[in-house]
Amino acid sequence: MKNKTEIEPIKAKIEHLKAKQAVEFIAFKEQLQVTYMSLKPLNLIKSTLAEVTSSPDIRNHLIQGLVGIAGGYLSKKILIGASSNWFKQIAGTLVQFFITKKIVQKEEEILGETELE
């Protein structure tokens, strides 16, 4: 049979490891909760919107795109109207595409000049 002196350090080490395991398990549960909360769809949307609104580059490109799309859409409605002719609808879509592209290019030129000043 082993000595009592040989068993005591092993028992102490086991108790120390059990305490360490309990502390690490609590930390793991807390981190799991934080990760779960950050992966909820609503929180993902909130964090993405916060990034978009805080970054001036993303905001400028978003505004550029929206202005271009709106300009192209309005030009299609003005030039083509509500035609039921499929040829006019295709032509209207092409007009919308090219006008949107030109608006975005002009905005990039304007913004590029103002950034240089």
Side-chain angles (χ1 to χ4, degrees):
M1 182 161 189
K2 291 190 178 185
N3 261 344
K4 188 175 185 180
T5 57
E6 293 176 0
I7 296 175
E8 289 302 319
I10 295 173
K11 285 183 178 180
K13 184 68 174 176
I14 290 172
E15 290 301 318
H16 173 71
L17 290 174
K18 283 183 180 179
K20 183 178 175 184
Q21 182 184 25
V23 169
E24 287 178 353
F25 183 71
I26 291 171
F28 173 73
K29 281 177 42 177
E30 289 173 355
Q31 184 60 42
L32 185 65
Q33 183 68 23
V34 168
T35 304
Y36 172 74
M37 292 302 288
S38 68
L39 290 178
K40 282 186 173 181
L42 183 61
N43 292 336
L44 285 173
I45 292 169
K46 283 181 183 179
S47 64
T48 302
L49 287 177
E51 278 183 37
V52 167
T53 56
S54 66
S55 172
D57 290 338
I58 295 174
R59 194 174 342 146
N60 287 339
H61 289 297
L62 184 64
I63 291 171
Q64 249 181 301
L66 290 175
V67 168
I69 290 171
Y73 179 76
L74 288 175
S75 64
K76 177 182 175 184
K77 285 298 178 185
I78 290 171
L79 294 176
I80 306 302
S83 176
S84 61
N85 185 345
W86 65 271
F87 181 74
K88 282 186 177 182
Q89 289 177 349
I90 292 173
T93 302
L94 291 174
V95 166
Q96 178 180 356
F97 173 75
F98 287 115
I99 290 180
T100 299
K101 185 175 177 181
K102 287 296 180 186
I103 289 174
V104 170
Q105 287 175 347
K106 287 293 182 184
E107 284 183 18
E108 286 175 354
E109 290 175 14
I110 292 170
L111 289 176
E113 291 173 4
T114 57
E115 288 177 1
L116 293 176
E117 295 175 356

